[in-house]
Amino acid sequence: MKLYNTLDKKVVDIKPLKEGRFSIYSCGPTVYFRMHIGNIRAYVNWDILHRALIYTGYKINRIMNLTDVGHMSKDEDFGEDKVEKQALEEGKDPLNISNQYIKTVLEDFATMNILSPKGNKVDPNMDLLKLEDEGWTRATSYIDQMISMIKKMQENGYTYETTQALYFDVTKLDDYNIFTNQSLEEKQEGVREEVGVDSEKKHPADFVLWMKKIGKYKDHIMHWNSPWGEGFPGWHIECSAMSTSVLGEKFDIHTGGMDHISVHHPNERAQNIGAFGHPSVQYWIHNDFLTGVEDTKISKSSGKGADLSDALDLGFDPMDVRYLFVSVNYRVQLKYTKESLEGARNARLSLISKLKSLYRESEDKGKILKDYKQNFIDELNNNLNISGALAVISDLLKSKEKPEDILNTVYDFDRVLGLNLKEEVEKKSIDIP
Ligand code: AMP
Ligand code: ZN
């Protein structure tokens, strides 16, 4: 398969480290609010990648984090912890807040037919103690691994300690800004002066590995003991520690949104090099954004953006929303409007109505049409060229093949699209007089 690797700045052939098996880490949600619809687009995109790799014959070892500590508002080191802030607002403790919003993640994944990182259908009522079995790693369950990884960076000379925190020293890496090719000086100019920033911090791009429970954070509710005192981990260390402790010091694919190209992912990469002496990720793959009506980023940090319920309240089916996200390549920015949703609904209903006619005409179970399947796979292999894959379906629908074979082949393609086509076609056919 070919994918766009952000570090190579081009589409490349992706080859797994272990024959036949891809290890994948997906940056997951910070669980302090119901996911906005832009987050859902990201997870549908990576669900397609996951399903496409399974479909083309690979075994997948994938995890996704649930950030329940350390992610600060506006992604700043000295912001407010998003989970704790929400806990104070709702008068609950942080664990209740993260559990409450993890449940909404499970609900939205189930509604949108997004598979768990393990590759199973999501049960929204699953026992939260079993999240790990489904491939979800909770940051607060990996504090020991974070501490031991930070210790390695310290031993290797990549850190320094101030009264308030332990930092990663970005000047220790020659290629810290490899993602954007910005020099550290250019980067310095771009960094906003944070309110309450640590005066002992050496470079504005240095970032917190461990924040001490003192000063602004003396009342931080979530805290753990560490060689640097009571405190809590920085946001970036979570992803490095969880990905490498589960997938290994080297793994294949790391997914995330474009917003992570400038800070979060350079920091993750820096930590991996700091701890292990080499990068961990073979391919960094990023999705472009779902934009709002005014072409602004729909984001919960800048106001509480639209979530899935807005589309459902407008009468759209979750599969209309999925169709919209599935029908656009992950590297293409997508506008989220009522019109775009209507377009997706019309396309989906027209597909279902054609499949229903085929269903009525079918005489037996049908087989999978190998040539069409190969064309479909070729399009997926071409950087998930979804418009090409959908074109294969329309060619197939226009073909003179047997109705049952066409139907069965489209059902097979739906293992990748995840539009519940068989259920939609066969369930609703019962109503046909
Ligand atoms: P967050 O919970 O804010 O850390 O975001 C979770 C994931 O959604 C990250 O991988 C982000 O890059 C991604 N993301 C955030 N906003 C959008 C958006 N508007 N469109 C697509 N992906 C997004
Ligand atoms: Zn991450």
Side-chain angles (χ1 to χ4, degrees):
M1 178 175 286
K2 287 185 163 67
L3 289 176
Y4 187 95
N5 182 20
T6 307
L7 277 190
D8 288 328
K9 297 181 180 56
K10 62 176 187 210
V11 174
V12 296
D13 250 321
I14 55 158
K15 298 242 178 325
L17 292 162
K18 284 194 194 129
E19 179 88 34
R21 189 182 176 89
F22 274 103
S23 45
I24 308 178
Y25 182 83
S26 296
C27 271
T30 306
V31 283
Y32 70 106
F33 197 72
R34 184 165 179 190
M35 288 191 291
H36 63 69
I37 196 75
N39 301 136
I40 293 182
R41 181 202 176 179
Y43 300 123
V44 170
N45 285 155
W46 305 130
D47 187 51
I48 296 292
L49 172 63
H50 187 166
R51 288 166 176 264
L53 288 172
I54 295 173
Y55 189 75
T56 49
Y58 291 99
K59 294 247 177 304
I60 306 296
N61 184 15
R62 179 178 179 217
I63 59 166
M64 179 186 291
N65 65 297
L66 297 166
T67 298
D68 54 0
V69 67
H71 192 176
M72 302 308 199
S73 49
K74 303 199 192 94
D75 293 354
E76 291 172 345
D77 275 343
F78 282 84
E80 288 174 272
D81 184 297
K82 293 182 177 189
V83 173
E84 287 213 9
K85 183 166 179 263
Q86 191 65 25
L88 288 175
E89 269 176 41
E90 294 192 29
K92 296 180 179 159
D93 74 49
L95 183 65
N96 283 339
I97 287 296
S98 44
N99 282 346
Q100 175 180 331
Y101 291 109
I102 287 171
K103 285 198 177 119
T104 67
V105 171
L106 299 176
E107 281 163 17
D108 287 348
F109 268 55
T111 311
M112 290 296 289
N113 206 15
I114 302 171
L115 300 179
S116 75
K118 194 85 185 172
N120 298 321
K121 280 207 178 264
V122 173
D123 170 7
N125 300 314
M126 70 176 282
D127 178 353
L128 297 192
L129 295 173
K130 304 229 164 94
L131 283 169
E132 187 101 18
D133 299 345
E134 284 303 322
W136 274 292
T137 55
R138 253 179 120 128
T140 49
S141 306
Y142 281 82
I143 303 291
D144 289 347
Q145 290 86 339
M146 294 180 210
I147 291 175
S148 74
M149 196 169 169
I150 301 173
K151 276 197 204 153
K152 284 191 193 136
M153 288 178 232
Q154 193 170 32
E155 282 156 22
N156 295 341
Y158 285 91
T159 67
Y160 64 92
E161 193 169 351
T162 70
T163 321
Q164 296 188 64
L166 185 84
Y167 287 96
F168 190 99
D169 182 346
V170 298
T171 62
K172 292 272 156 65
L173 281 186
D174 298 335
D175 60 358
Y176 168 71
N177 280 323
I178 188 169
F179 281 89
T180 54
N181 289 338
Q182 255 186 330
S183 69
L184 269 180
E185 290 70 38
E186 282 166 335
K187 172 118 186 157
Q188 182 156 2
E189 283 164 24
V191 175
R192 273 168 298 151
E193 248 341 289
E194 285 183 33
V195 187
V197 80
D198 187 344
S199 60
E200 295 168 74
K201 183 171 165 178
K202 293 190 201 158
H203 191 286
D206 293 344
F207 57 91
V208 168
L209 295 168
W210 190 263
M211 186 69 88
K212 300 180 191 177
K213 188 178 176 285
I214 54 174
K216 180 171 180 183
Y217 300 110
K218 70 177 176 1
D219 298 322
H220 208 262
I221 307 165
M222 288 182 281
H223 54 91
W224 294 265
N225 200 358
S226 84
W228 317 282
E230 276 298 301
F232 59 97
W235 172 40
H236 315 291
I237 186 62
E238 301 182 354
C239 286
S240 284
M242 288 187 271
S243 56
T244 58
S245 54
V246 180
L247 304 175
E249 282 183 23
K250 284 192 176 172
F251 61 96
D252 296 307
I253 297 177
H254 192 309
T255 70
M258 296 258 186
D259 52 332
H260 293 332
I261 295 176
S262 59
V263 180
H264 184 49
H265 290 164
N267 291 356
E268 270 192 53
R269 181 177 174 277
Q271 294 168 148
N272 297 341
I273 296 173
F276 308 124
H278 57 74
S280 297
V281 178
Q282 310 302 301
Y283 307 104
W284 290 92
I285 316 290
H286 291 100
N287 65 281
D288 208 328
F289 264 57
L290 184 70
T291 61
V293 185
E294 283 94 35
D295 249 355
T296 53
K297 173 177 146 177
I298 304 171
S299 160
K300 49 192 172 188
S301 26
S302 60
K304 298 184 170 167
D307 60 33
L308 184 57
S309 64
D310 298 300
L312 307 188
D313 291 348
L314 285 170
F316 290 101
D317 187 283
M319 289 304 106
D320 297 331
V321 183
R322 184 165 173 113
Y323 192 98
L324 175 65
F325 296 166
V326 162
S327 61
V328 176
N329 179 270
Y330 68 102
R331 290 198 39 85
V332 176
Q333 209 176 76
L334 171 62
K335 209 166 178 175
Y336 188 65
T337 61
K338 210 170 156 216
E339 290 70 34
S340 60
L341 279 169
E342 276 161 358
R345 172 165 60 195
N346 292 341
R348 189 180 73 91
L349 293 180
S350 134
L351 173 62
I352 289 172
S353 120
K354 286 178 195 143
L355 295 176
K356 277 185 180 175
S357 321
L358 292 167
Y359 181 63
R360 288 194 294 268
E361 292 160 25
S362 292
E363 288 175 355
D364 59 38
K365 207 171 153 280
K367 61 177 193 300
I368 294 170
L369 296 160
K370 294 238 162 42
D371 290 351
Y372 285 94
K373 178 160 182 160
Q374 192 51 53
N375 293 344
F376 186 74
I377 288 178
D378 289 346
E379 297 297 349
L380 296 175
N381 281 342
N382 180 15
N383 193 25
L384 297 174
N385 181 16
I386 208 74
S387 42
L390 293 176
V392 174
I393 298 184
S394 39
D395 288 349
L396 175 57
L397 291 171
K398 284 185 231 139
S399 74
K400 299 267 180 299
E401 303 287 347
K402 283 193 196 152
E404 57 268 32
D405 294 346
I406 300 178
L407 189 62
N408 203 40
T409 306
V410 176
Y411 285 167
D412 185 63
F413 295 168
D414 198 38
R415 287 165 51 205
V416 178
L417 304 175
L419 293 167
N420 287 338
L421 293 176
K422 190 169 196 297
E423 291 82 339
E424 292 281 334
V425 168
E426 297 183 8
K427 170 189 79 190
K428 295 192 180 151
S429 300
I430 295 162
D431 303 329
I432 293 169

